[in-house]
Amino acid sequence: MSDSVGAALLAIAAALRIAVGTVVRQRTAAGVPDDAVGTLGPITAVVRNPVWWLGTVAGVGGYAFQAAALGRGSLLLVQPLLVLSLLFALPLGARLADRSVGRSEWLWAAALTGSVAVLVVLGNPRPGLARAEPLHWVLTCLVGAPLVAAGLIAARRVRGARKALLLGAVGGALFGVSAVLTKGVVDIASRGVLPLATAPELWALLLLAAGAVTVQQAAFQAGDLRASLPATTVLEPVVASLLGFVVLGEYLDADRAMSVVLVTAAAVMVAATVALARGDAAASSPDQAVCPPGE
């Protein structure tokens, strides 16, 4: 089995586990009342819910598969495949919400599957470096940190759907950067425990992942999941793929004509992702839920 095929299979397995974790954690966070939100956000309330921990275990399992996939393939291959988690979440979310999956949802699911297949198969993603150079991380921080800070500050000044949208976008961006760090950490781990323990990428990843999860839970609780979930789901692969291209030197092996096809497929993927995420979030809202929410 080639590295690309192995990475693709691991990424699909990751998407399945992530879907289970996301559905459970969404429904748990959406059920947290405003007066139960602590200093760190709804995370302080959901950690007391055993159901949330079940979703978290599933999410951690998905992350393990994602890390294994990134160890064998490029970000441009793995990250688009992770978007398929929405496809797996579709029937699960419908089941928990005691509803049927509509025709339009299945059509968007087919569009998502087809667009991802085009990007992965016809795009022929080519690997780059396993780790970014220190200078690249400095530049990334100089550009990204002010944007993240601005998003968090703006989110404190609004409520409801706008707050959820801003926090969802920040969370997705942080998860995207975490994916790039994960690829570097997996490469370092192959050299032994000591190099891993002393690698700045590991500690940066732990800090960033904790921040991303905290922001994501705040986005889920903020009000309108139909705003936060699409933002998170779209921003993660976009940021990860962009950094894979810019700082790791990954690229899609395509000529000009094929590039048009790939851009179209990417646009369809984004549109289908937003449509499915909004539908899944609507089904997960407390008003429609038939059991306590959680990912």
Side-chain angles (χ1 to χ4, degrees):
M1 181 184 299
S2 69
D3 283 345
S4 295
V5 173
L9 293 176
L10 288 168
I12 293 173
L16 178 58
R17 296 293 295 269
I18 289 171
V20 174
T22 299
V23 169
V24 175
R25 293 205 311 273
Q26 277 174 14
R27 295 175 65 83
T28 300
V32 176
D34 289 341
D35 57 7
V37 176
T39 305
L40 297 178
I43 192 75
T44 55
V46 295
V47 294
R48 296 193 292 268
N49 189 330
V51 177
W52 182 85
W53 284 105
L54 291 176
T56 299
V57 169
V60 170
Y63 176 73
F65 278 112
Q66 178 187 6
L70 289 171
R72 301 188 64 167
S74 67
L75 286 158
L76 293 177
L77 169 65
V78 174
Q79 293 305 126
L81 287 170
L82 293 183
V83 177
L84 294 178
S85 62
L86 282 174
L87 183 65
F88 299 134
L90 181 63
L92 177 59
R95 174 72 181 223
L96 292 178
D98 193 24
R99 69 181 182 89
S100 60
V101 179
R103 179 180 299 178
S104 64
E105 291 176 299
W106 284 123
L107 290 175
W108 280 120
L112 177 64
T113 304
S115 60
V116 170
V118 168
L119 288 171
V120 171
V121 176
L122 299 184
N124 192 18
R126 310 306 266 176
L129 301 173
R131 300 171 62 189
E133 298 291 336
L135 177 60
H136 289 155
W137 281 124
V138 171
L139 295 175
T140 299
C141 290
L142 289 175
V143 174
L147 295 176
V148 169
L152 293 175
I153 293 172
R156 292 177 64 88
R157 299 176 178 174
V158 295
R159 298 180 64 82
R162 291 182 180 180
K163 185 181 186 73
L165 173 62
L166 289 168
L167 291 175
V170 171
L174 293 178
F175 279 122
V177 179
S178 297
V180 183
L181 286 169
T182 297
K183 186 169 181 61
V185 168
V186 171
D187 178 67
I188 298 169
S190 64
R191 306 175 193 174
V193 176
L194 183 58
L196 177 62
T198 56
E201 286 95 335
L202 174 63
W203 303 106
L205 174 61
L206 293 175
L207 180 63
L208 200 64
V213 170
T214 300
V215 172
Q216 182 188 52
Q217 292 299 147
F220 285 163
Q221 189 273 340
D224 194 352
L225 291 177
R226 284 169 288 185
S228 65
L229 186 58
T232 300
T233 308
V234 169
L235 261 292
E236 179 180 354
V238 167
V239 171
S241 298
L242 179 62
L243 289 177
F245 175 75
V246 174
V247 306
L248 298 183
E250 299 180 356
Y251 64 97
L252 298 177
D253 189 8
D255 57 22
R256 181 175 300 180
M258 184 57 67
S259 296
V260 174
V261 174
L262 296 177
V263 169
T264 302
V268 172
M269 184 186 76
V270 171
T273 297
V274 171
L276 289 175
R278 289 177 66 87
D280 184 46
S284 300
S285 64
D287 293 339
Q288 299 179 41
V290 295
C291 60
E295 184 190 87

